Amino acid sequence: MQLGLYDPSFEFDSCGVGFAANIKGVKSFKIVSDAITMLENMEHRGATGYESNTGDGAGLQIQIPHELLYDETLNFGFDLPNPNFYGVGMLFFPQNNFIREECKEIIAQSADKLGLKILGYRPVPVNNIDLGNLAKSVEPVMEMLFVERPFDVETDKDFERKLFVFRNYISHQITSVTSNDPIGFYVASFSCKKLIYILTSTNNFPEFTGRICPAPCEGACVLGINNLPVAIEEIEKNIIEIAFEQGFAKPRIPQYRTDKKVAVIGSGPAGLASAYQLNQAGHQVTVFERDSEIGGLLRFGIPDFKLNKNIVERRVQWMEQEGVEFRTNVNVGVNYSVEELNRNFDAVVLALGSTVPRDLMLPNRDAKGVHYAMDFLIQNNKKVSGIEFYEEELNVKGKKVVVIGGGDTGSDCIGTSNRQGAEVVYQIYYKPMQPTQRDETMPWPTMPMTLQVTSSHEEGCERKWSVNSKEFVKDENGNLTGVRLVEAEWTKDADGKWNLYTEKPNSAFVIECDYAFIALGYTHVEQKGLVEALDIHLDPKGNLIGNNKEFLTNQAKYFSCGDARKGQSLVVWAIAEGRDCAKKVDEFLKG
């Protein structure tokens, strides 16, 4: 149904942070009401949980509504001092009455020890009619805790700091009391200025996506119609990093365990997301990785100047604390048999990635100096991390480099070549240069296919568009000396896209180079070894078959997700795939 400028086809899965405000600074209930309406109409990719009406949730942060709370707390036998002279905590308690009262006793003792006076509690009204049974079974009892500001605390900032210490102190003290409770205890917020109605991200790893995602959500931002979009990726990164620094983000140790064991083969973003979700569901999860470190292409395929490896290692350490077991240098199907896999695990998730690179079969492809881009990037990551490697060293210092392909991997090769000290770096593109702004072929809210200029390009690179590779040139010793190219002439098809191609006569030329890196993406999952041993059925593109609804392969208890199932895609899709697959594995294990 067409509604003015809106059309349902504009709908995309996007994530971000929004706000509602009065531009004149006037407080009103309408602002909260509008924000709730916005929240109700948001749908986040991966938000649905193990039931269709159970999800990770979303929430609001608002200023403390002093007038409302003053009237409310009178009903509970206490009154509030002036604004900023009290703090409010949003506390999540277990459903068990006895444990809840024990928690409150610890809170009282902790407040006395830290010189704080508790004014009282206010139960938070809830309406859980739309919650699924799973959500209701672990729904916490929510209460507000009011604490008076001590006379010797002079500034709001000092009071905020004291409340932060109090929040962490009681969380630590109560852990032992609630360790065996399925809900546990959690302080969503504690402040003299704001209330946070808890928002749990549907993205397991915002510290990854905030750095390496191409941010298609920014392309769907309404500001992008006639201006620059909201910098969602940068906001996402800063929110999670502040949460890490301030201690807001903490490992979530499951409060109960099932007797089911799950193996996740592959530790890229899909495998890690699946492992995280299944571990939180209480299952015993083991992640197998054939490389020496956990992370897949996050660890070895992306340069440190885009994703520092301590970011990956931090998350892996957290997941270990939460109970996930990681086993490296294990190539399942080679040094860990399929028979062992079947014997030791109740379910298996195949998150093998799409690792077979797309080749460029030109004359003299065997020239010394022609390599896949990922071979170059993986080796350099190992060098930076001090990890031993046994392949021929690829060092482009003082060399001429040609990068064939215009995507992120090609850009990473440019940045890495510059850091190694290449003499000159070329990047060649098959199609014409993209426009710098949206045109009629890329209407909002589609992701604009505009010219991308990365930090690697800015550091130094000569880019050539509308050229087609024809031949690798080598000398009598087999060493690469150049790439023979021909200029391409493009015309637009009926849809206004550059799809009609011819070679320009007498336009051949050679770019001299010592190295050529092929960065043309990936074709499908690696099929030799484990996939063949399991006899997993493949789709026409060579990917593992596991439909969108069940993620189950043709083999009982074997599931597939991520690039191995979907084909080469974005990190946000890999995370969503891992989460959705985990939901189906959990349903399978519960019968």
Side-chain angles (χ1 to χ4, degrees):
M1 180 176 65
Q2 184 76 30
L3 298 174
L5 295 176
Y6 170 80
D7 186 278
S9 64
F10 293 165
E11 294 296 336
F12 282 77
D13 283 328
S14 301
C15 55
V17 178
F19 67 92
N22 184 297
I23 61 174
K24 295 183 179 180
V26 178
K27 297 180 181 180
S28 72
F29 174 73
K30 186 177 185 303
I31 295 174
V32 178
S33 178
D34 288 346
I36 292 174
T37 300
M38 292 162 57
L39 197 64
E40 288 174 344
N41 286 279
M42 285 184 179
E43 184 174 339
H44 293 264
R45 185 189 307 125
T48 302
Y50 304 121
E51 301 167 311
S52 61
N53 54 356
T54 294
D56 285 330
L60 301 177
Q61 174 178 297
I62 64 173
Q63 291 174 284
I64 291 178
H66 173 71
E67 292 80 4
L68 171 66
L69 293 180
Y70 184 86
D71 292 339
E72 280 287 305
T73 53
L74 290 177
N75 297 325
F76 295 95
F78 63 97
D79 57 359
L80 296 176
N82 292 329
N84 297 334
F85 281 86
Y86 65 93
V88 186
M90 183 68 76
L91 276 52
F92 291 9
F93 288 103
Q95 294 176 359
N96 184 289
N97 290 330
F98 177 79
I99 297 179
R100 189 160 66 250
E101 290 306 314
E102 194 170 355
C103 289
K104 289 186 177 181
E105 179 61 30
I106 294 174
I107 290 171
Q109 295 171 0
S110 301
D112 184 63
K113 184 173 183 178
L114 295 176
L116 293 170
K117 178 183 177 182
I118 292 179
L119 298 172
Y121 288 87
R122 174 194 177 241
V124 177
V126 297
N127 181 352
N128 64 2
I129 190 171
D130 291 323
L131 290 185
N133 292 328
L134 177 62
K136 287 180 180 177
S137 69
V138 293
E139 180 186 9
V141 175
M142 290 176 274
E143 296 191 31
M144 290 180 175
L145 170 61
F146 295 83
V147 174
E148 188 173 33
R149 176 169 159 176
F151 290 111
D152 59 347
V153 177
E154 296 181 355
T155 67
D156 294 350
K157 185 176 180 180
D158 289 338
F159 190 30
E160 284 285 296
R161 186 179 293 110
K162 196 169 187 69
L163 291 173
F164 175 73
V165 172
F166 181 48
R167 169 186 176 172
N168 287 330
Y169 187 78
I170 61 178
S171 296
H172 177 74
Q173 293 297 313
I174 291 175
T175 298
S176 59
V177 177
T178 61
S179 60
N180 295 319
D181 187 86
I183 298 175
F185 173 79
Y186 180 68
V187 184
S189 67
F190 221 132
S191 174
C192 66
K193 295 181 177 294
K194 59 184 180 291
L195 278 173
I196 296 178
Y197 291 87
I198 189 66
L199 167 64
T200 301
S201 173
T202 58
N203 176 1
N204 300 84
F205 313 121
E207 68 270 32
F208 300 159
T209 55
R211 288 174 166 85
I212 63 174
C213 180
C217 52
E218 293 183 12
C221 175
V222 68
L223 283 180
I225 296 174
N226 55 16
N227 207 328
L228 293 176
V230 173
I232 297 172
E233 183 181 28
E234 189 68 19
I235 292 172
E236 181 180 44
K237 180 184 73 175
N238 280 280
I239 287 175
I240 187 61
E241 288 305 324
I242 290 171
F244 277 124
E245 292 171 6
Q246 299 290 334
F248 302 140
K250 298 178 180 179
R252 296 176 57 196
I253 300 174
Q255 299 300 310
Y256 67 97
R257 286 288 181 187
T258 71
D259 61 351
K260 303 298 183 181
K261 295 182 179 180
V262 183
V264 176
I265 316 301
S267 67
L272 290 179
S274 186
Y276 181 92
Q277 294 295 107
L278 289 165
N279 180 65
Q280 291 299 318
H283 307 305
Q284 301 172 58
V285 180
T286 302
V287 178
F288 292 93
E289 171 55 56
R290 64 182 177 181
D291 282 323
S292 60
E293 302 289 336
I294 295 296
L297 289 185
L298 294 171
R299 182 62 183 80
F300 288 116
I302 299 173
D304 277 54
F305 60 80
K306 282 178 62 176
L307 178 64
N308 196 296
K309 299 311 174 288
N310 61 19
I311 302 297
V312 180
E313 291 163 359
R314 176 179 64 187
R315 176 59 69 174
V316 171
Q317 290 169 4
W318 273 41
M319 291 179 67
E320 286 179 322
Q321 292 178 45
E322 293 167 337
V324 177
E325 179 185 357
F326 292 101
R327 298 186 61 180
T328 57
N329 296 310
V330 178
N331 193 350
V332 179
V334 178
N335 59 358
Y336 189 95
S337 70
V338 171
E339 189 276 330
E340 289 179 282
L341 203 62
N342 287 325
R343 185 176 67 248
N344 295 332
F345 295 96
D346 301 292
V348 179
V349 176
L350 301 175
L352 307 173
S354 179
T355 57
V356 177
R358 182 172 285 107
D359 207 343
L360 185 60
M361 297 308 297
L362 300 179
N364 298 322
R365 171 63 179 83
D366 62 346
K368 298 174 185 177
V370 181
H371 301 274
Y372 290 120
M374 198 51 64
D375 292 341
F376 177 50
L377 296 176
I378 289 174
Q379 185 182 108
N380 189 73
N381 267 302
K382 290 182 177 180
K383 286 182 184 178
V384 172
S385 298
I387 298 173
E388 192 173 7
F389 61 90
Y390 303 98
E391 308 83 15
E392 172 194 354
E393 183 179 10
L394 304 179
N395 189 336
V396 302
K397 183 176 182 179
K399 305 295 184 180
K400 300 181 179 73
V401 175
V402 169
V403 177
I404 304 173
D408 288 335
T409 300
S411 173
D412 293 344
C413 285
I414 295 167
T416 301
S417 297
N418 284 327
R419 281 161 177 75
Q420 286 194 1
E423 177 185 335
V424 62
V425 182
Y426 302 93
Q427 185 175 29
I428 60 176
Y429 299 79
Y430 180 52
K431 287 194 172 184
M433 185 173 70
Q434 303 98 321
T436 57
Q437 295 181 330
R438 287 185 188 271
D439 60 24
E440 66 278 2
T441 67
M442 49 183 107
W444 179 88
T446 59
M447 185 176 179
M449 303 305 291
T450 52
L451 179 65
Q452 300 296 307
V453 181
T454 68
S455 60
S456 295
H457 295 130
E458 293 174 338
E459 290 166 358
C461 171
E462 185 174 334
R463 307 170 77 178
K464 294 184 178 295
W465 284 272
S466 296
V467 290
N468 190 19
S469 307
K470 302 297 289 185
E471 178 187 13
F472 293 113
V473 182
K474 63 181 181 181
D475 61 20
E476 63 277 8
N477 295 318
N479 297 309
L480 180 72
T481 61
V483 179
R484 190 179 307 279
L485 306 162
V486 63
E487 295 180 13
E489 291 185 330
W490 291 87
T491 54
K492 293 184 178 181
D493 60 18
D495 296 324
K497 297 181 179 179
W498 297 102
N499 282 333
L500 304 177
Y501 158 83
T502 57
E503 291 184 358
K504 188 176 179 180
N506 303 314
S507 64
F509 65 102
V510 173
I511 294 181
E512 293 184 0
C513 64
D514 305 291
Y515 283 94
F517 296 122
I518 302 171
L520 300 176
Y522 296 86
T523 56
H524 51 68
V525 66
E526 186 176 328
Q527 297 164 4
K528 292 183 179 180
L530 178 60
V531 174
E532 287 184 349
L534 290 170
D535 192 25
I536 302 293
H537 290 175
L538 306 172
D539 68 15
K541 294 182 178 179
N543 301 312
L544 305 181
I545 293 179
N547 63 57
N548 288 329
K549 291 185 178 180
E550 301 301 328
F551 293 85
L552 187 63
T553 69
N554 58 295
Q555 299 295 345
K557 81 177 186 180
Y558 281 83
F559 297 76
S560 66
C561 66
D563 288 2
R565 187 194 74 87
K566 186 181 177 67
Q568 179 185 343
S569 189
L570 304 178
V571 64
V572 289
W573 270 115
I575 293 172
E577 284 263 317
R579 292 172 63 87
D580 290 344
C581 180
K583 176 176 67 173
K584 294 304 178 182
V585 175
D586 183 68
E587 291 175 358
F588 169 80
L589 293 173
K590 291 178 178 178

